[in-house]
Amino acid sequence: MSLTSRAETRAAQLTSSGLGIHFSSPRKPRDKRKTQVIVELPGQKAKQRKLLAKMANLMDTSSVQEEKHPETVTLEPDTESADAWEDVFQDNDALPVTESTDNCPPCSQPTPSRRTQPDLTSTRLYDSWKSLIPTLVTVLLEYTARTLGAPLQRTPLGLSLCRSHTCAQKRSSIVCLFFDHFVSIEVLSCRCATQAQVLVFHGLFPTSPSQPRMAVSVELLAFYRTLFERSCDAVNALASALHTHYGEVIQEPFRRSLGQAIQWFDLLQVEVERRLEGALSACRDRVEAERSGSRSASTTEATAPEPLIPRERCASVLIQRCPACFGGLAFGRDLSEGGDIHVATDGNFHHRHRRSAGDSPHFYDTSYFLSKAQVDAIGHHILRSRKSPPRPHKSSVPHEAIDQCESSYEAADGKKQKSSMDSFDDTGVMALICRHDIPLFLANIDTPGEQQKYSVALIDHLFSLLPPRATVVTLYDVGCVLSRSLDQYDILPPTITKRLRFATTAMHAYGHEWACQLEYNPRMCHGLGLSDGEGTERLWSRLVRLIGIQRSSSRQRRLWLLDRQLAAIGLEMRTDLGDWIKRRLKRGIEEQGTAAQSVLEECGVTIDELRNEWASQRKSQLSIRARILERGHRRLMAKVEVLYASLNVHDQFPELKGVNLDFVRTLLLARDIKINIRKRAIGSFFEWDKLDRAVGGAQQALGTKLHQQTRKAISKRQPALLTALRKFNAYCERLEELYDPTYGIPLPTPLPTKLNDLRNDQSLLEDVWISPSTGDIPRWLEDQDVRDGIRAMLKRDRCIEEQRRLGLEADNLCRWFGDELAAIELALLAPDSK
């Protein structure tokens, strides 16, 4: 080995004589960013200013007019012209040098900030990918047809796709990643087939649109895509797993390349699905046209022709997402009977995007998200509509009750800042789903609060895809507030509002006023069946794994991740529609209907009597007088000790004349403390819902910190709540002692002191009655059997309505299966399907 060559082993290094053997360590290259100093060349700024001044003088308008009288112009010689022109065209005035050549101290330069917008290089790269993807569809379909259902074969070490065998071929060596190994393969490209087409035809996908150095197995990418549908984006985990699984270290890193291959292979799959859907859509139209023609012919040939009922169909995108909801042929069911379609909407502010993560060039057209222009147009229309005075309208629920709901719900406060706009540019998403929890459309939230424009935009977009007679019931956390806004202002056209009805979600119904629940609670509304509107919460639980990843991804990649995950969820749930109907028949109708029927048999009251009592209860508790009494109660409780004398209750409420002073005082105290109990209990109920997510694995479990914080909050509120319950029950006992049947005022019933029983007690939501009833006390107010019977009757009615709706949905699903089978068979027979 030559002494001048670089020593590769310790024993072969140069040594010096002396005591022992002395080894000289090789010189290590230092990081240039640490050793170099950015300085400014002396005189460069002056040269640049001088040249710019000359250019401005030459381009001056006055100089142009002087061209009519040309004169000889003598330019002064510039000895520094060469250096000056060399410096002008530098991109940066500062150049890196190793050492400073003069005594001038280096000027301090600010640290460049992270790029948040796509640059020209990334834009060109994405444009290259987008132009390449359509050229790979045919070769991918050929590879799929050749290998579908067959065992994987070892890829040869030389790949070519030349048809003529006479082209000049270019040879490239590419590292290919497979499930169990990696290997370097020679790829021959020519005019017949590009390098990417050769790779895809043999089951490999390139990691770069041009001149790739690495390719990934199509089967490995397809496996990752399936894994992504069940978990989340995990490119780093896959890259590390492949490093370990291969058993030997790949010298060339491939994490970034693997991410590019995963992203653009998914785009290739989307392009294949789009073309497939286009072919099937054309076949569906032909099948529908043939059936309409045969139906018209049969009607014409009939002896006594019946009036032809037009076959109204929803848009194809809705039918393909949920055929059970949108696959019907007849629409126009009255809203009081439940309407034709049930949907739910809700917002989520966990799916945020950090502003510092930046953006990438546009590469994917989402199929679930509404465009920002569409949402903003609705927002501007709402602002213009609210400038006009609210129009008078008749509401079955007092405005005072809706005002209380609006103040108690964060979703009703569009100005409440739920995310910091300084740190996040996208603060959440708003979803619209059907009653089977299948996602239909989403809107990206880019404002601090949950404004009405997002839910209105989703509803408006849905109606644009429905037949003109279709009716819709929308379940929303603050459906009562949104319904009043649509009645007061011209936010949506009358052609939509007359076919739209709102209801609250079942789980959050206890957060609303009792008068609001009588009108908007889905368990008390006629025709809604067992639709609960809580499917959005179940959707958020399935998307929870993407929260951390999408915050640090680019804005375009965040939308791509969400959209592809929603597509996978929608396809899975559409496949499960048959089992969903079976489960609802067994667990919903059979179990709950049987329990309700047993309660009806035990109460001993006929159904007709229960219906009359329920109608009387609704009429009494929705009356304006009841809300006036509540406002009067708040005024009276200002000075509760002197309330009877100072505010003159006899003049304000003449019906209380002759009632014992101590009884009225205790009654109003009981009413006040029950309102307090209801507010405290509802706050605890929301916290219990969080803890329920950690039980049984039904939903995503809470983190340890959040779990402990929730338990601590419940334990802090529990003593005050129990004290209020005991005090209220003491007031109830005191009222029984002071009660005179001639008062005609129904007595409140005590509340359970066990919090779990309190959650299921319906009397918690009812106010204390402070107005004497004319005549006999109604049975719905004093008879416990009647009260239990009314709740069981409502449950029984909802089960019957649900059974009828499930029958219609099963018919729609079977019809859709038949149409899809006919369209697929026709597509297979088409000449271009080969």
Side-chain angles (χ1 to χ4, degrees), residues 296-335:
S296 301
S298 61
T299 305
T300 305
E301 296 173 359
T303 307
E306 299 179 356
L308 183 63
I309 301 176
R311 289 166 58 95
E312 298 179 315
R313 300 298 296 265
C314 298
S316 177
V317 61
L318 294 178
I319 298 176
Q320 294 304 312
R321 288 184 180 173
C322 184
C325 288
F326 303 101
L329 300 178
F331 297 91
R333 179 184 297 179
D334 193 83
L335 289 172

mmCIF file of all heavy atoms in Angstrom, residues 296-335:
data_model
loop_
_atom_site.group_PDB
_atom_site.id
_atom_site.type_symbol
_atom_site.label_atom_id
_atom_site.label_comp_id
_atom_site.label_asym_id
_atom_site.label_seq_id
_atom_site.Cartn_x
_atom_site.Cartn_y
_atom_site.Cartn_z
ATOM 1 N N SER A 296 -92.548 3.849 -19.880
ATOM 2 C CA SER A 296 -93.480 4.685 -20.632
ATOM 3 C C SER A 296 -94.246 3.868 -21.659
ATOM 4 O O SER A 296 -95.447 4.066 -21.871
ATOM 5 C CB SER A 296 -92.711 5.815 -21.322
ATOM 6 O OG SER A 296 -92.018 6.599 -20.385
ATOM 7 N N ALA A 297 -93.559 2.904 -22.303
ATOM 8 C CA ALA A 297 -94.241 2.062 -23.294
ATOM 9 C C ALA A 297 -95.305 1.197 -22.653
ATOM 10 O O ALA A 297 -96.411 1.040 -23.173
ATOM 11 C CB ALA A 297 -93.214 1.198 -24.028
ATOM 12 N N SER A 298 -94.990 0.620 -21.488
ATOM 13 C CA SER A 298 -95.983 -0.219 -20.810
ATOM 14 C C SER A 298 -97.174 0.595 -20.361
ATOM 15 O O SER A 298 -98.313 0.129 -20.367
ATOM 16 C CB SER A 298 -95.339 -0.929 -19.623
ATOM 17 O OG SER A 298 -94.865 0.031 -18.692
ATOM 18 N N THR A 299 -96.953 1.838 -19.974
ATOM 19 C CA THR A 299 -98.055 2.688 -19.562
ATOM 20 C C THR A 299 -98.928 3.061 -20.749
ATOM 21 O O THR A 299 -100.155 3.135 -20.658
ATOM 22 C CB THR A 299 -97.517 3.959 -18.884
ATOM 23 O OG1 THR A 299 -96.664 3.586 -17.811
ATOM 24 C CG2 THR A 299 -98.643 4.821 -18.351
ATOM 25 N N THR A 300 -98.322 3.258 -21.919
ATOM 26 C CA THR A 300 -99.090 3.635 -23.115
ATOM 27 C C THR A 300 -99.941 2.476 -23.599
ATOM 28 O O THR A 300 -101.068 2.665 -24.069
ATOM 29 C CB THR A 300 -98.120 4.078 -24.223
ATOM 30 O OG1 THR A 300 -97.295 5.126 -23.723
ATOM 31 C CG2 THR A 300 -98.888 4.564 -25.444
ATOM 32 N N GLU A 301 -99.423 1.244 -23.503
ATOM 33 C CA GLU A 301 -100.152 0.083 -23.977
ATOM 34 C C GLU A 301 -101.251 -0.362 -23.027
ATOM 35 O O GLU A 301 -102.090 -1.187 -23.389
ATOM 36 C CB GLU A 301 -99.182 -1.085 -24.186
ATOM 37 C CG GLU A 301 -98.157 -0.812 -25.285
ATOM 38 C CD GLU A 301 -97.122 -1.901 -25.354
ATOM 39 O OE1 GLU A 301 -97.226 -2.834 -24.526
ATOM 40 O OE2 GLU A 301 -96.222 -1.826 -26.212
ATOM 41 N N ALA A 302 -101.289 0.141 -21.809
ATOM 42 C CA ALA A 302 -102.296 -0.277 -20.836
ATOM 43 C C ALA A 302 -103.678 0.198 -21.274
ATOM 44 O O ALA A 302 -103.848 1.218 -21.944
ATOM 45 C CB ALA A 302 -101.960 0.282 -19.463
ATOM 46 N N THR A 303 -104.697 -0.543 -20.877
ATOM 47 C CA THR A 303 -106.065 -0.198 -21.250
ATOM 48 C C THR A 303 -106.529 1.060 -20.552
ATOM 49 O O THR A 303 -107.099 1.965 -21.165
ATOM 50 C CB THR A 303 -107.005 -1.369 -20.886
ATOM 51 O OG1 THR A 303 -106.501 -2.568 -21.473
ATOM 52 C CG2 THR A 303 -108.419 -1.092 -21.361
ATOM 53 N N ALA A 304 -106.322 1.155 -19.242
ATOM 54 C CA ALA A 304 -106.694 2.340 -18.462
ATOM 55 C C ALA A 304 -105.422 2.934 -17.882
ATOM 56 O O ALA A 304 -105.018 2.581 -16.775
ATOM 57 C CB ALA A 304 -107.669 1.976 -17.351
ATOM 58 N N PRO A 305 -104.748 3.780 -18.628
ATOM 59 C CA PRO A 305 -103.451 4.293 -18.155
ATOM 60 C C PRO A 305 -103.611 5.136 -16.917
ATOM 61 O O PRO A 305 -104.509 5.969 -16.818
ATOM 62 C CB PRO A 305 -102.945 5.119 -19.338
ATOM 63 C CG PRO A 305 -104.173 5.492 -20.108
ATOM 64 C CD PRO A 305 -105.142 4.359 -19.925
ATOM 65 N N GLU A 306 -102.702 4.922 -15.952
ATOM 66 C CA GLU A 306 -102.659 5.713 -14.734
ATOM 67 C C GLU A 306 -101.718 6.902 -14.932
ATOM 68 O O GLU A 306 -100.847 6.868 -15.793
ATOM 69 C CB GLU A 306 -102.169 4.851 -13.560
ATOM 70 C CG GLU A 306 -103.077 3.677 -13.270
ATOM 71 C CD GLU A 306 -102.553 2.839 -12.143
ATOM 72 O OE1 GLU A 306 -101.438 3.150 -11.659
ATOM 73 O OE2 GLU A 306 -103.232 1.871 -11.747
ATOM 74 N N PRO A 307 -101.889 7.973 -14.158
ATOM 75 C CA PRO A 307 -100.974 9.114 -14.295
ATOM 76 C C PRO A 307 -99.540 8.699 -13.980
ATOM 77 O O PRO A 307 -99.274 8.041 -12.981
ATOM 78 C CB PRO A 307 -101.509 10.123 -13.272
ATOM 79 C CG PRO A 307 -102.326 9.321 -12.328
ATOM 80 C CD PRO A 307 -102.903 8.192 -13.125
ATOM 81 N N LEU A 308 -98.640 9.083 -14.866
ATOM 82 C CA LEU A 308 -97.241 8.695 -14.725
ATOM 83 C C LEU A 308 -96.576 9.530 -13.635
ATOM 84 O O LEU A 308 -96.576 10.757 -13.700
ATOM 85 C CB LEU A 308 -96.495 8.888 -16.052
ATOM 86 C CG LEU A 308 -95.035 8.449 -16.074
ATOM 87 C CD1 LEU A 308 -94.923 6.954 -15.842
ATOM 88 C CD2 LEU A 308 -94.398 8.825 -17.407
ATOM 89 N N ILE A 309 -96.053 8.876 -12.609
ATOM 90 C CA ILE A 309 -95.340 9.558 -11.527
ATOM 91 C C ILE A 309 -93.876 9.672 -11.925
ATOM 92 O O ILE A 309 -93.225 8.670 -12.204
ATOM 93 C CB ILE A 309 -95.480 8.780 -10.207
ATOM 94 C CG1 ILE A 309 -96.952 8.630 -9.834
ATOM 95 C CG2 ILE A 309 -94.701 9.467 -9.093
ATOM 96 C CD1 ILE A 309 -97.186 7.805 -8.594
ATOM 97 N N PRO A 310 -93.337 10.882 -12.005
ATOM 98 C CA PRO A 310 -91.933 11.011 -12.423
ATOM 99 C C PRO A 310 -90.991 10.371 -11.420
ATOM 100 O O PRO A 310 -91.180 10.453 -10.215
ATOM 101 C CB PRO A 310 -91.735 12.533 -12.504
ATOM 102 C CG PRO A 310 -92.769 13.094 -11.581
ATOM 103 C CD PRO A 310 -93.946 12.168 -11.658
ATOM 104 N N ARG A 311 -89.944 9.720 -11.964
ATOM 105 C CA ARG A 311 -88.923 9.096 -11.117
ATOM 106 C C ARG A 311 -87.899 10.162 -10.762
ATOM 107 O O ARG A 311 -87.051 10.527 -11.573
ATOM 108 C CB ARG A 311 -88.258 7.939 -11.851
ATOM 109 C CG ARG A 311 -89.151 6.734 -12.038
ATOM 110 C CD ARG A 311 -88.551 5.781 -13.071
ATOM 111 N NE ARG A 311 -87.242 5.327 -12.712
ATOM 112 C CZ ARG A 311 -86.982 4.179 -12.079
ATOM 113 N NH1 ARG A 311 -87.971 3.403 -11.723
ATOM 114 N NH2 ARG A 311 -85.746 3.823 -11.809
ATOM 115 N N GLU A 312 -87.999 10.679 -9.543
ATOM 116 C CA GLU A 312 -87.056 11.679 -9.079
ATOM 117 C C GLU A 312 -85.844 10.972 -8.488
ATOM 118 O O GLU A 312 -85.980 10.050 -7.685
ATOM 119 C CB GLU A 312 -87.706 12.591 -8.039
ATOM 120 C CG GLU A 312 -88.882 13.385 -8.572
ATOM 121 C CD GLU A 312 -89.501 14.254 -7.500
ATOM 122 O OE1 GLU A 312 -89.698 13.757 -6.380
ATOM 123 O OE2 GLU A 312 -89.781 15.422 -7.776
ATOM 124 N N ARG A 313 -84.673 11.417 -8.894
ATOM 125 C CA ARG A 313 -83.447 10.807 -8.406
ATOM 126 C C ARG A 313 -82.531 11.887 -7.851
ATOM 127 O O ARG A 313 -82.472 13.009 -8.348
ATOM 128 C CB ARG A 313 -82.718 10.062 -9.538
ATOM 129 C CG ARG A 313 -83.493 8.948 -10.183
ATOM 130 C CD ARG A 313 -83.830 7.850 -9.196
ATOM 131 N NE ARG A 313 -82.656 7.193 -8.679
ATOM 132 C CZ ARG A 313 -82.142 6.075 -9.185
ATOM 133 N NH1 ARG A 313 -82.716 5.507 -10.236
ATOM 134 N NH2 ARG A 313 -81.081 5.524 -8.658
ATOM 135 N N CYS A 314 -81.815 11.517 -6.818
ATOM 136 C CA CYS A 314 -80.782 12.402 -6.282
ATOM 137 C C CYS A 314 -79.557 12.354 -7.200
ATOM 138 O O CYS A 314 -79.458 11.519 -8.096
ATOM 139 C CB CYS A 314 -80.396 11.975 -4.866
ATOM 140 S SG CYS A 314 -81.738 12.060 -3.661
ATOM 141 N N ALA A 315 -78.632 13.270 -6.954
ATOM 142 C CA ALA A 315 -77.400 13.282 -7.736
ATOM 143 C C ALA A 315 -76.620 11.992 -7.512
ATOM 144 O O ALA A 315 -76.709 11.349 -6.450
ATOM 145 C CB ALA A 315 -76.553 14.488 -7.361
ATOM 146 N N SER A 316 -75.865 11.618 -8.520
ATOM 147 C CA SER A 316 -75.142 10.346 -8.463
ATOM 148 C C SER A 316 -74.157 10.308 -7.299
ATOM 149 O O SER A 316 -73.960 9.250 -6.679
ATOM 150 C CB SER A 316 -74.406 10.111 -9.782
ATOM 151 O OG SER A 316 -73.644 8.923 -9.731
ATOM 152 N N VAL A 317 -73.531 11.462 -6.977
ATOM 153 C CA VAL A 317 -72.548 11.465 -5.896
ATOM 154 C C VAL A 317 -73.203 11.123 -4.564
ATOM 155 O O VAL A 317 -72.611 10.421 -3.719
ATOM 156 C CB VAL A 317 -71.841 12.834 -5.836
ATOM 157 C CG1 VAL A 317 -72.829 13.957 -5.551
ATOM 158 C CG2 VAL A 317 -70.728 12.834 -4.804
ATOM 159 N N LEU A 318 -74.444 11.548 -4.352
ATOM 160 C CA LEU A 318 -75.146 11.220 -3.109
ATOM 161 C C LEU A 318 -75.569 9.756 -3.089
ATOM 162 O O LEU A 318 -75.469 9.090 -2.049
ATOM 163 C CB LEU A 318 -76.367 12.121 -2.950
ATOM 164 C CG LEU A 318 -76.094 13.612 -2.736
ATOM 165 C CD1 LEU A 318 -77.398 14.378 -2.644
ATOM 166 C CD2 LEU A 318 -75.272 13.830 -1.475
ATOM 167 N N ILE A 319 -76.031 9.255 -4.216
ATOM 168 C CA ILE A 319 -76.462 7.848 -4.265
ATOM 169 C C ILE A 319 -75.283 6.924 -4.013
ATOM 170 O O ILE A 319 -75.408 5.917 -3.285
ATOM 171 C CB ILE A 319 -77.123 7.547 -5.619
ATOM 172 C CG1 ILE A 319 -78.383 8.403 -5.807
ATOM 173 C CG2 ILE A 319 -77.467 6.071 -5.731
ATOM 174 C CD1 ILE A 319 -79.035 8.225 -7.158
ATOM 175 N N GLN A 320 -74.134 7.243 -4.572
ATOM 176 C CA GLN A 320 -72.971 6.379 -4.384
ATOM 177 C C GLN A 320 -72.430 6.437 -2.962
ATOM 178 O O GLN A 320 -71.827 5.468 -2.500
ATOM 179 C CB GLN A 320 -71.874 6.767 -5.372
ATOM 180 C CG GLN A 320 -72.232 6.507 -6.820
ATOM 181 C CD GLN A 320 -72.629 5.061 -7.070
ATOM 182 O OE1 GLN A 320 -71.949 4.132 -6.645
ATOM 183 N NE2 GLN A 320 -73.743 4.867 -7.747
ATOM 184 N N ARG A 321 -72.655 7.541 -2.260
ATOM 185 C CA ARG A 321 -72.149 7.627 -0.887
ATOM 186 C C ARG A 321 -73.096 6.966 0.105
ATOM 187 O O ARG A 321 -72.629 6.355 1.058
ATOM 188 C CB ARG A 321 -71.919 9.096 -0.531
ATOM 189 C CG ARG A 321 -70.705 9.644 -1.264
ATOM 190 C CD ARG A 321 -70.345 11.055 -0.917
ATOM 191 N NE ARG A 321 -69.172 11.457 -1.699
ATOM 192 C CZ ARG A 321 -68.678 12.665 -1.726
ATOM 193 N NH1 ARG A 321 -69.231 13.637 -1.012
ATOM 194 N NH2 ARG A 321 -67.601 12.934 -2.462
ATOM 195 N N CYS A 322 -74.386 7.084 -0.069
ATOM 196 C CA CYS A 322 -75.328 6.375 0.808
ATOM 197 C C CYS A 322 -76.567 6.025 0.006
ATOM 198 O O CYS A 322 -77.528 6.820 -0.062
ATOM 199 C CB CYS A 322 -75.694 7.225 2.022
ATOM 200 S SG CYS A 322 -76.777 6.335 3.177
ATOM 201 N N PRO A 323 -76.604 4.859 -0.620
ATOM 202 C CA PRO A 323 -77.792 4.469 -1.399
ATOM 203 C C PRO A 323 -79.027 4.256 -0.537
ATOM 204 O O PRO A 323 -80.144 4.384 -1.037
ATOM 205 C CB PRO A 323 -77.346 3.173 -2.083
ATOM 206 C CG PRO A 323 -76.218 2.661 -1.252
ATOM 207 C CD PRO A 323 -75.533 3.854 -0.685
ATOM 208 N N ALA A 324 -78.849 3.954 0.742
ATOM 209 C CA ALA A 324 -80.019 3.749 1.601
ATOM 210 C C ALA A 324 -80.775 5.056 1.827
ATOM 211 O O ALA A 324 -82.005 5.062 1.897
ATOM 212 C CB ALA A 324 -79.593 3.144 2.935
ATOM 213 N N CYS A 325 -80.068 6.166 1.945
ATOM 214 C CA CYS A 325 -80.716 7.465 2.165
ATOM 215 C C CYS A 325 -81.167 8.111 0.873
ATOM 216 O O CYS A 325 -82.262 8.695 0.805
ATOM 217 C CB CYS A 325 -79.761 8.405 2.903
ATOM 218 S SG CYS A 325 -79.486 8.015 4.645
ATOM 219 N N PHE A 326 -80.338 8.041 -0.174
ATOM 220 C CA PHE A 326 -80.574 8.834 -1.376
ATOM 221 C C PHE A 326 -80.943 7.986 -2.593
ATOM 222 O O PHE A 326 -81.023 8.525 -3.691
ATOM 223 C CB PHE A 326 -79.317 9.648 -1.706
ATOM 224 C CG PHE A 326 -78.873 10.533 -0.584
ATOM 225 C CD1 PHE A 326 -77.816 10.158 0.246
ATOM 226 C CD2 PHE A 326 -79.499 11.731 -0.325
ATOM 227 C CE1 PHE A 326 -77.393 10.961 1.285
ATOM 228 C CE2 PHE A 326 -79.092 12.554 0.709
ATOM 229 C CZ PHE A 326 -78.039 12.168 1.518
ATOM 230 N N GLY A 327 -81.177 6.697 -2.419
ATOM 231 C CA GLY A 327 -81.509 5.840 -3.552
ATOM 232 C C GLY A 327 -82.991 5.719 -3.823
ATOM 233 O O GLY A 327 -83.396 4.887 -4.643
ATOM 234 N N GLY A 328 -83.821 6.532 -3.167
ATOM 235 C CA GLY A 328 -85.257 6.455 -3.374
ATOM 236 C C GLY A 328 -85.692 7.060 -4.695
ATOM 237 O O GLY A 328 -84.941 7.750 -5.391
ATOM 238 N N LEU A 329 -86.957 6.800 -5.036
ATOM 239 C CA LEU A 329 -87.531 7.303 -6.285
ATOM 240 C C LEU A 329 -88.652 8.305 -6.049
ATOM 241 O O LEU A 329 -88.994 9.064 -6.965
ATOM 242 C CB LEU A 329 -88.076 6.136 -7.126
ATOM 243 C CG LEU A 329 -87.053 5.066 -7.532
ATOM 244 C CD1 LEU A 329 -87.748 3.957 -8.300
ATOM 245 C CD2 LEU A 329 -85.936 5.666 -8.363
ATOM 246 N N ALA A 330 -89.242 8.302 -4.881
ATOM 247 C CA ALA A 330 -90.353 9.199 -4.564
ATOM 248 C C ALA A 330 -89.956 10.075 -3.387
ATOM 249 O O ALA A 330 -89.463 9.578 -2.365
ATOM 250 C CB ALA A 330 -91.620 8.399 -4.234
ATOM 251 N N PHE A 331 -90.172 11.378 -3.521
ATOM 252 C CA PHE A 331 -89.826 12.338 -2.487
ATOM 253 C C PHE A 331 -91.008 13.271 -2.252
ATOM 254 O O PHE A 331 -91.925 13.346 -3.069
ATOM 255 C CB PHE A 331 -88.588 13.148 -2.885
ATOM 256 C CG PHE A 331 -87.339 12.331 -3.036
ATOM 257 C CD1 PHE A 331 -86.998 11.775 -4.272
ATOM 258 C CD2 PHE A 331 -86.512 12.088 -1.955
ATOM 259 C CE1 PHE A 331 -85.863 11.020 -4.428
ATOM 260 C CE2 PHE A 331 -85.373 11.325 -2.093
ATOM 261 C CZ PHE A 331 -85.044 10.793 -3.318
ATOM 262 N N GLY A 332 -90.957 13.962 -1.143
ATOM 263 C CA GLY A 332 -92.011 14.916 -0.828
ATOM 264 C C GLY A 332 -92.753 14.616 0.458
ATOM 265 O O GLY A 332 -93.818 15.200 0.699
ATOM 266 N N ARG A 333 -92.217 13.731 1.311
ATOM 267 C CA ARG A 333 -92.885 13.447 2.580
ATOM 268 C C ARG A 333 -92.891 14.701 3.448
ATOM 269 O O ARG A 333 -91.898 15.430 3.509
ATOM 270 C CB ARG A 333 -92.160 12.319 3.305
ATOM 271 C CG ARG A 333 -92.776 11.957 4.655
ATOM 272 C CD ARG A 333 -91.970 10.913 5.383
ATOM 273 N NE ARG A 333 -91.931 9.669 4.641
ATOM 274 C CZ ARG A 333 -91.271 8.592 5.043
ATOM 275 N NH1 ARG A 333 -90.581 8.628 6.173
ATOM 276 N NH2 ARG A 333 -91.281 7.493 4.311
ATOM 277 N N ASP A 334 -94.003 14.924 4.114
ATOM 278 C CA ASP A 334 -94.147 16.123 4.928
ATOM 279 C C ASP A 334 -93.131 16.131 6.066
ATOM 280 O O ASP A 334 -92.807 15.083 6.645
ATOM 281 C CB ASP A 334 -95.566 16.210 5.480
ATOM 282 C CG ASP A 334 -95.864 17.581 6.051
ATOM 283 O OD1 ASP A 334 -96.214 18.492 5.288
ATOM 284 O OD2 ASP A 334 -95.736 17.732 7.286
ATOM 285 N N LEU A 335 -92.652 17.332 6.411
ATOM 286 C CA LEU A 335 -91.662 17.449 7.481
ATOM 287 C C LEU A 335 -92.232 17.043 8.824
ATOM 288 O O LEU A 335 -91.502 16.543 9.693
ATOM 289 C CB LEU A 335 -91.140 18.883 7.551
ATOM 290 C CG LEU A 335 -90.224 19.324 6.405
ATOM 291 C CD1 LEU A 335 -89.932 20.811 6.495
ATOM 292 C CD2 LEU A 335 -88.920 18.529 6.424
#
